[in-house]
Amino acid sequence: MAEVVLYHHSQGLTPGVLAFAAELRAAGHTVHTPDLYEGNTFDTIDDGMAYARKVGFDALLSAGAAAASALPEAVVYGGFSLGGMPAQLLAQTRPGARGALLYHTSVPPAEFGGEWPAAVPVRIHAMENDPYFAEEGGDIDAARAIVAAADDGELYLYPGDQHLFTDSSLAAYDADATALVVRRTLEFLAGR
């Protein structure tokens, strides 16, 4: 079974993020869900992003790294949207990473000091018309570059235009798409 660090999105450590983690735990995986927002949650992406800007993205990245520092190196790093930043940073730079799961997000690897390490497998999940992910100059270009650089990489695009569609506590939730994301995630974790 895999050990996973799963970082929440800009609206915080919501019941939907915890429910997603619980599905992975139910399959036998160890899943850590650090709270980078110290208990704060927000009703909208905009409110959550305003909080992230106030705290500072560098501070959130540092908090994400600190949350993983006591764990073994051989873990899978995952993150939803904003939480994909610390997940990607650690998967790219921390030795021993077993893989990366990026939901609704990806960042150009150069933002974290270099190329995607070819030996680190990655799965990226997003909706094909998500305005935060798929618009020109958005995350989709970075996602394609990461997948191309990885020896074992996949970009999964789901029908729809919602951003945080895997969070069952939000209006954007899509149960059918999320069920497929969870199935593909469990298949990925089975090999880690």
Side-chain angles (χ1 to χ4, degrees), residues 122-169:
V122 60
R123 299 295 183 269
I124 303 171
H125 302 265
M127 283 197 160
E128 61 190 358
N129 294 312
D130 170 357
Y132 294 96
F133 186 85
E135 289 186 2
E136 186 175 332
D139 295 2
I140 195 165
D141 295 332
R144 289 181 176 135
I146 290 168
V147 167
D151 292 339
D152 179 8
E154 292 285 343
L155 169 60
Y156 296 110
L157 297 174
Y158 302 83
D161 62 0
Q162 297 301 305
H163 185 52
L164 301 175
F165 71 92
T166 57
D167 187 320
S168 60
S169 63

Short mmCIF file of all heavy atoms in Angstrom, two decimals, residues 122-169:
data_model
loop_
_atom_site.label_atom_id
_atom_site.label_comp_id
_atom_site.label_asym_id
_atom_site.label_seq_id
_atom_site.Cartn_x
_atom_site.Cartn_y
_atom_site.Cartn_z
N VAL A 122 3.51 10.41 -12.87
CA VAL A 122 2.56 11.48 -12.58
C VAL A 122 1.23 11.22 -13.27
O VAL A 122 1.18 10.70 -14.38
CB VAL A 122 3.13 12.86 -13.00
CG1 VAL A 122 3.44 12.90 -14.49
CG2 VAL A 122 2.23 14.00 -12.60
N ARG A 123 0.16 11.60 -12.56
CA ARG A 123 -1.19 11.59 -13.13
C ARG A 123 -1.80 12.95 -12.87
O ARG A 123 -1.80 13.43 -11.73
CB ARG A 123 -2.07 10.50 -12.50
CG ARG A 123 -1.56 9.09 -12.70
CD ARG A 123 -1.59 8.68 -14.18
NE ARG A 123 -1.17 7.30 -14.37
CZ ARG A 123 0.08 6.90 -14.60
NH1 ARG A 123 1.07 7.78 -14.64
NH2 ARG A 123 0.36 5.63 -14.79
N ILE A 124 -2.32 13.57 -13.92
CA ILE A 124 -2.95 14.88 -13.81
C ILE A 124 -4.40 14.73 -14.26
O ILE A 124 -4.68 14.18 -15.32
CB ILE A 124 -2.20 15.92 -14.67
CG1 ILE A 124 -0.73 15.98 -14.26
CG2 ILE A 124 -2.86 17.29 -14.55
CD1 ILE A 124 0.15 16.82 -15.17
N HIS A 125 -5.32 15.25 -13.43
CA HIS A 125 -6.76 15.12 -13.68
C HIS A 125 -7.40 16.51 -13.70
O HIS A 125 -7.21 17.28 -12.76
CB HIS A 125 -7.43 14.31 -12.57
CG HIS A 125 -6.87 12.94 -12.39
ND1 HIS A 125 -7.42 11.83 -12.99
CD2 HIS A 125 -5.81 12.50 -11.67
CE1 HIS A 125 -6.74 10.77 -12.64
NE2 HIS A 125 -5.74 11.14 -11.84
N ALA A 126 -8.18 16.81 -14.74
CA ALA A 126 -8.88 18.09 -14.83
C ALA A 126 -10.04 17.96 -15.80
O ALA A 126 -10.08 17.03 -16.61
CB ALA A 126 -7.94 19.20 -15.29
N MET A 127 -10.96 18.91 -15.73
CA MET A 127 -12.04 18.96 -16.73
C MET A 127 -11.54 19.69 -17.96
O MET A 127 -10.78 20.66 -17.87
CB MET A 127 -13.28 19.64 -16.15
CG MET A 127 -14.05 18.71 -15.24
SD MET A 127 -15.74 19.27 -14.93
CE MET A 127 -16.46 17.71 -14.39
N GLU A 128 -12.00 19.21 -19.11
CA GLU A 128 -11.48 19.72 -20.39
C GLU A 128 -11.78 21.18 -20.62
O GLU A 128 -11.03 21.86 -21.35
CB GLU A 128 -12.00 18.87 -21.55
CG GLU A 128 -13.50 18.85 -21.69
CD GLU A 128 -13.98 17.81 -22.68
OE1 GLU A 128 -13.15 17.11 -23.31
OE2 GLU A 128 -15.22 17.69 -22.85
N ASN A 129 -12.84 21.72 -20.02
CA ASN A 129 -13.18 23.13 -20.20
C ASN A 129 -13.12 23.93 -18.90
O ASN A 129 -13.75 24.98 -18.78
CB ASN A 129 -14.56 23.26 -20.84
CG ASN A 129 -14.58 22.70 -22.25
OD1 ASN A 129 -13.72 23.02 -23.06
ND2 ASN A 129 -15.54 21.84 -22.55
N ASP A 130 -12.36 23.44 -17.94
CA ASP A 130 -12.13 24.17 -16.69
C ASP A 130 -11.41 25.47 -17.02
O ASP A 130 -10.29 25.44 -17.53
CB ASP A 130 -11.29 23.29 -15.75
CG ASP A 130 -10.78 24.01 -14.52
OD1 ASP A 130 -11.02 25.22 -14.35
OD2 ASP A 130 -10.14 23.34 -13.70
N PRO A 131 -12.02 26.63 -16.76
CA PRO A 131 -11.37 27.88 -17.15
C PRO A 131 -10.05 28.14 -16.43
O PRO A 131 -9.17 28.82 -16.97
CB PRO A 131 -12.41 28.96 -16.80
CG PRO A 131 -13.34 28.31 -15.83
CD PRO A 131 -13.32 26.85 -16.13
N TYR A 132 -9.88 27.62 -15.24
CA TYR A 132 -8.61 27.79 -14.52
C TYR A 132 -7.51 26.91 -15.10
O TYR A 132 -6.33 27.20 -14.94
CB TYR A 132 -8.77 27.43 -13.03
CG TYR A 132 -9.66 28.36 -12.27
CD1 TYR A 132 -11.01 28.05 -12.08
CD2 TYR A 132 -9.18 29.54 -11.72
CE1 TYR A 132 -11.84 28.89 -11.36
CE2 TYR A 132 -9.99 30.39 -11.00
CZ TYR A 132 -11.33 30.05 -10.83
OH TYR A 132 -12.16 30.89 -10.12
N PHE A 133 -7.89 25.81 -15.72
CA PHE A 133 -6.91 24.83 -16.19
C PHE A 133 -6.70 24.88 -17.70
O PHE A 133 -5.58 24.82 -18.16
CB PHE A 133 -7.38 23.42 -15.79
CG PHE A 133 -6.39 22.34 -16.10
CD1 PHE A 133 -5.37 22.05 -15.22
CD2 PHE A 133 -6.48 21.62 -17.29
CE1 PHE A 133 -4.43 21.06 -15.51
CE2 PHE A 133 -5.56 20.63 -17.59
CZ PHE A 133 -4.54 20.35 -16.69
N ALA A 134 -7.78 24.99 -18.46
CA ALA A 134 -7.72 24.73 -19.89
C ALA A 134 -7.56 25.96 -20.78
O ALA A 134 -7.30 25.81 -21.97
CB ALA A 134 -8.96 23.95 -20.33
N GLU A 135 -7.76 27.15 -20.24
CA GLU A 135 -7.63 28.32 -21.10
C GLU A 135 -6.19 28.51 -21.56
O GLU A 135 -5.25 28.07 -20.90
CB GLU A 135 -8.12 29.57 -20.37
CG GLU A 135 -9.63 29.58 -20.19
CD GLU A 135 -10.15 30.87 -19.59
OE1 GLU A 135 -9.36 31.79 -19.33
OE2 GLU A 135 -11.37 30.93 -19.39
N GLU A 136 -6.04 29.17 -22.71
CA GLU A 136 -4.72 29.38 -23.28
C GLU A 136 -3.79 30.02 -22.24
O GLU A 136 -4.15 30.97 -21.55
CB GLU A 136 -4.82 30.29 -24.50
CG GLU A 136 -3.51 30.45 -25.22
CD GLU A 136 -3.65 31.25 -26.50
OE1 GLU A 136 -4.75 31.24 -27.10
OE2 GLU A 136 -2.67 31.89 -26.88
N GLY A 137 -2.60 29.47 -22.14
CA GLY A 137 -1.64 29.95 -21.15
C GLY A 137 -1.91 29.41 -19.75
O GLY A 137 -1.21 29.76 -18.81
N GLY A 138 -2.91 28.54 -19.63
CA GLY A 138 -3.25 27.99 -18.32
C GLY A 138 -2.42 26.76 -17.99
O GLY A 138 -1.39 26.48 -18.60
N ASP A 139 -2.93 26.03 -17.04
CA ASP A 139 -2.21 24.88 -16.52
C ASP A 139 -2.06 23.74 -17.52
O ASP A 139 -1.17 22.90 -17.38
CB ASP A 139 -2.93 24.34 -15.28
CG ASP A 139 -2.91 25.31 -14.11
OD1 ASP A 139 -2.38 26.42 -14.25
OD2 ASP A 139 -3.43 24.94 -13.04
N ILE A 140 -2.92 23.69 -18.52
CA ILE A 140 -2.89 22.56 -19.45
C ILE A 140 -1.56 22.47 -20.19
O ILE A 140 -1.06 21.38 -20.45
CB ILE A 140 -4.09 22.58 -20.42
CG1 ILE A 140 -4.23 21.22 -21.10
CG2 ILE A 140 -3.99 23.73 -21.40
CD1 ILE A 140 -5.55 21.00 -21.79
N ASP A 141 -0.96 23.62 -20.51
CA ASP A 141 0.33 23.59 -21.20
C ASP A 141 1.41 22.98 -20.30
O ASP A 141 2.22 22.17 -20.76
CB ASP A 141 0.74 25.00 -21.63
CG ASP A 141 -0.22 25.58 -22.67
OD1 ASP A 141 -0.84 24.80 -23.42
OD2 ASP A 141 -0.37 26.82 -22.70
N ALA A 142 1.41 23.37 -19.03
CA ALA A 142 2.36 22.79 -18.09
C ALA A 142 2.09 21.30 -17.91
O ALA A 142 3.02 20.49 -17.84
CB ALA A 142 2.28 23.51 -16.74
N ALA A 143 0.82 20.92 -17.86
CA ALA A 143 0.47 19.51 -17.70
C ALA A 143 1.01 18.68 -18.85
O ALA A 143 1.58 17.60 -18.64
CB ALA A 143 -1.05 19.36 -17.60
N ARG A 144 0.85 19.17 -20.05
CA ARG A 144 1.36 18.44 -21.22
C ARG A 144 2.87 18.30 -21.18
O ARG A 144 3.42 17.25 -21.52
CB ARG A 144 0.90 19.13 -22.49
CG ARG A 144 -0.60 18.96 -22.75
CD ARG A 144 -1.04 19.64 -24.03
NE ARG A 144 -2.45 19.37 -24.27
CZ ARG A 144 -3.33 20.30 -24.64
NH1 ARG A 144 -2.95 21.55 -24.83
NH2 ARG A 144 -4.60 19.97 -24.84
N ALA A 145 3.56 19.36 -20.74
CA ALA A 145 5.02 19.30 -20.65
C ALA A 145 5.47 18.30 -19.59
O ALA A 145 6.42 17.54 -19.80
CB ALA A 145 5.58 20.69 -20.34
N ILE A 146 4.78 18.27 -18.45
CA ILE A 146 5.14 17.34 -17.38
C ILE A 146 4.93 15.90 -17.84
O ILE A 146 5.81 15.04 -17.67
CB ILE A 146 4.31 17.64 -16.11
CG1 ILE A 146 4.76 18.96 -15.50
CG2 ILE A 146 4.43 16.50 -15.10
CD1 ILE A 146 3.82 19.50 -14.43
N VAL A 147 3.78 15.63 -18.43
CA VAL A 147 3.47 14.28 -18.89
C VAL A 147 4.47 13.83 -19.96
O VAL A 147 4.92 12.68 -19.97
CB VAL A 147 2.01 14.22 -19.40
CG1 VAL A 147 1.73 12.95 -20.17
CG2 VAL A 147 1.06 14.34 -18.22
N ALA A 148 4.86 14.74 -20.84
CA ALA A 148 5.83 14.40 -21.88
C ALA A 148 7.20 14.10 -21.29
O ALA A 148 7.94 13.25 -21.81
CB ALA A 148 5.93 15.54 -22.89
N ALA A 149 7.56 14.76 -20.19
CA ALA A 149 8.87 14.56 -19.57
C ALA A 149 8.94 13.30 -18.72
O ALA A 149 10.02 12.76 -18.50
CB ALA A 149 9.23 15.78 -18.73
N ALA A 150 7.80 12.84 -18.23
CA ALA A 150 7.77 11.68 -17.34
C ALA A 150 7.82 10.37 -18.15
O ALA A 150 7.20 10.26 -19.19
CB ALA A 150 6.50 11.69 -16.49
N ASP A 151 8.57 9.41 -17.63
CA ASP A 151 8.57 8.08 -18.25
C ASP A 151 7.19 7.44 -18.15
O ASP A 151 6.82 6.63 -18.99
CB ASP A 151 9.61 7.17 -17.57
CG ASP A 151 11.03 7.62 -17.85
OD1 ASP A 151 11.27 8.36 -18.83
OD2 ASP A 151 11.92 7.24 -17.05
N ASP A 152 6.47 7.78 -17.07
CA ASP A 152 5.13 7.23 -16.83
C ASP A 152 4.22 8.39 -16.43
O ASP A 152 4.11 8.73 -15.26
CB ASP A 152 5.22 6.18 -15.70
CG ASP A 152 3.87 5.57 -15.36
OD1 ASP A 152 2.87 5.83 -16.09
OD2 ASP A 152 3.79 4.86 -14.34
N GLY A 153 3.61 9.01 -17.42
CA GLY A 153 2.75 10.16 -17.16
C GLY A 153 1.46 10.09 -17.94
O GLY A 153 1.44 9.59 -19.08
N GLU A 154 0.39 10.56 -17.32
CA GLU A 154 -0.92 10.60 -17.99
C GLU A 154 -1.64 11.88 -17.62
O GLU A 154 -1.62 12.31 -16.46
CB GLU A 154 -1.80 9.43 -17.54
CG GLU A 154 -1.34 8.06 -18.00
CD GLU A 154 -1.58 7.79 -19.47
OE1 GLU A 154 -2.40 8.50 -20.10
OE2 GLU A 154 -0.94 6.86 -19.99
N LEU A 155 -2.26 12.49 -18.62
CA LEU A 155 -3.16 13.63 -18.43
C LEU A 155 -4.56 13.16 -18.76
O LEU A 155 -4.82 12.72 -19.88
CB LEU A 155 -2.76 14.79 -19.34
CG LEU A 155 -3.74 15.95 -19.45
CD1 LEU A 155 -3.99 16.61 -18.09
CD2 LEU A 155 -3.25 16.98 -20.47
N TYR A 156 -5.44 13.21 -17.76
CA TYR A 156 -6.83 12.80 -17.95
C TYR A 156 -7.71 14.04 -17.98
O TYR A 156 -7.71 14.82 -17.02
CB TYR A 156 -7.29 11.89 -16.81
CG TYR A 156 -6.55 10.58 -16.72
CD1 TYR A 156 -5.68 10.33 -15.68
CD2 TYR A 156 -6.76 9.58 -17.68
CE1 TYR A 156 -5.02 9.12 -15.58
CE2 TYR A 156 -6.09 8.37 -17.59
CZ TYR A 156 -5.22 8.15 -16.54
OH TYR A 156 -4.57 6.94 -16.45
N LEU A 157 -8.45 14.21 -19.06
CA LEU A 157 -9.39 15.31 -19.19
C LEU A 157 -10.81 14.75 -19.19
O LEU A 157 -11.11 13.82 -19.95
CB LEU A 157 -9.13 16.11 -20.46
CG LEU A 157 -7.77 16.81 -20.52
CD1 LEU A 157 -7.54 17.46 -21.88
CD2 LEU A 157 -7.64 17.84 -19.41
N TYR A 158 -11.64 15.31 -18.33
CA TYR A 158 -13.01 14.83 -18.14
C TYR A 158 -13.98 15.83 -18.76
O TYR A 158 -13.71 17.04 -18.77
CB TYR A 158 -13.29 14.67 -16.64
CG TYR A 158 -12.33 13.71 -15.98
CD1 TYR A 158 -11.07 14.14 -15.56
CD2 TYR A 158 -12.65 12.37 -15.82
CE1 TYR A 158 -10.17 13.25 -14.98
CE2 TYR A 158 -11.76 11.48 -15.25
CZ TYR A 158 -10.52 11.92 -14.83
OH TYR A 158 -9.63 11.04 -14.26
N PRO A 159 -15.12 15.38 -19.25
CA PRO A 159 -16.10 16.31 -19.82
C PRO A 159 -16.60 17.29 -18.76
O PRO A 159 -16.85 16.90 -17.62
CB PRO A 159 -17.24 15.41 -20.27
CG PRO A 159 -16.69 14.03 -20.32
CD PRO A 159 -15.56 13.98 -19.33
N GLY A 160 -16.69 18.55 -19.12
CA GLY A 160 -17.23 19.54 -18.20
C GLY A 160 -16.37 20.78 -18.09
O GLY A 160 -15.32 20.89 -18.71
N ASP A 161 -16.85 21.72 -17.26
CA ASP A 161 -16.17 23.01 -17.14
C ASP A 161 -15.98 23.44 -15.68
O ASP A 161 -15.74 24.61 -15.41
CB ASP A 161 -16.93 24.08 -17.90
CG ASP A 161 -18.35 24.30 -17.37
OD1 ASP A 161 -18.76 23.62 -16.40
OD2 ASP A 161 -19.06 25.15 -17.94
N GLN A 162 -16.06 22.49 -14.76
CA GLN A 162 -15.91 22.83 -13.35
C GLN A 162 -14.45 22.70 -12.92
O GLN A 162 -13.70 21.88 -13.45
CB GLN A 162 -16.79 21.93 -12.49
CG GLN A 162 -18.27 22.10 -12.76
CD GLN A 162 -18.73 23.53 -12.51
OE1 GLN A 162 -18.54 24.07 -11.43
NE2 GLN A 162 -19.34 24.14 -13.52
N HIS A 163 -14.08 23.49 -11.92
CA HIS A 163 -12.70 23.44 -11.44
C HIS A 163 -12.54 22.37 -10.36
O HIS A 163 -11.90 21.35 -10.58
CB HIS A 163 -12.26 24.82 -10.95
CG HIS A 163 -10.82 24.88 -10.55
ND1 HIS A 163 -9.80 24.45 -11.37
CD2 HIS A 163 -10.23 25.31 -9.40
CE1 HIS A 163 -8.64 24.62 -10.76
NE2 HIS A 163 -8.87 25.13 -9.56
N LEU A 164 -13.12 22.55 -9.22
CA LEU A 164 -12.93 21.64 -8.08
C LEU A 164 -14.00 20.55 -8.07
O LEU A 164 -14.67 20.30 -7.06
CB LEU A 164 -12.93 22.44 -6.78
CG LEU A 164 -11.84 23.52 -6.69
CD1 LEU A 164 -12.00 24.32 -5.41
CD2 LEU A 164 -10.45 22.92 -6.78
N PHE A 165 -14.12 19.84 -9.18
CA PHE A 165 -15.21 18.88 -9.35
C PHE A 165 -15.06 17.63 -8.50
O PHE A 165 -16.00 16.84 -8.38
CB PHE A 165 -15.38 18.50 -10.82
CG PHE A 165 -14.27 17.65 -11.39
CD1 PHE A 165 -14.38 16.26 -11.36
CD2 PHE A 165 -13.16 18.23 -11.96
CE1 PHE A 165 -13.38 15.47 -11.90
CE2 PHE A 165 -12.15 17.44 -12.49
CZ PHE A 165 -12.25 16.06 -12.46
N THR A 166 -13.92 17.40 -7.88
CA THR A 166 -13.71 16.21 -7.05
C THR A 166 -14.07 16.44 -5.59
O THR A 166 -13.96 15.53 -4.78
CB THR A 166 -12.25 15.74 -7.13
OG1 THR A 166 -11.40 16.83 -6.73
CG2 THR A 166 -11.90 15.26 -8.53
N ASP A 167 -14.49 17.65 -5.23
CA ASP A 167 -14.82 17.98 -3.84
C ASP A 167 -16.32 17.85 -3.63
O ASP A 167 -17.10 18.70 -4.07
CB ASP A 167 -14.34 19.40 -3.51
CG ASP A 167 -14.49 19.74 -2.05
OD1 ASP A 167 -15.52 19.37 -1.43
OD2 ASP A 167 -13.59 20.39 -1.50
N SER A 168 -16.74 16.80 -2.94
CA SER A 168 -18.17 16.52 -2.76
C SER A 168 -18.89 17.53 -1.89
O SER A 168 -20.12 17.52 -1.82
CB SER A 168 -18.35 15.12 -2.16
OG SER A 168 -17.70 15.03 -0.90
N SER A 169 -18.16 18.44 -1.25
CA SER A 169 -18.82 19.45 -0.41
C SER A 169 -19.03 20.77 -1.15
O SER A 169 -19.54 21.73 -0.57
CB SER A 169 -18.00 19.70 0.86
OG SER A 169 -16.71 20.22 0.57
#
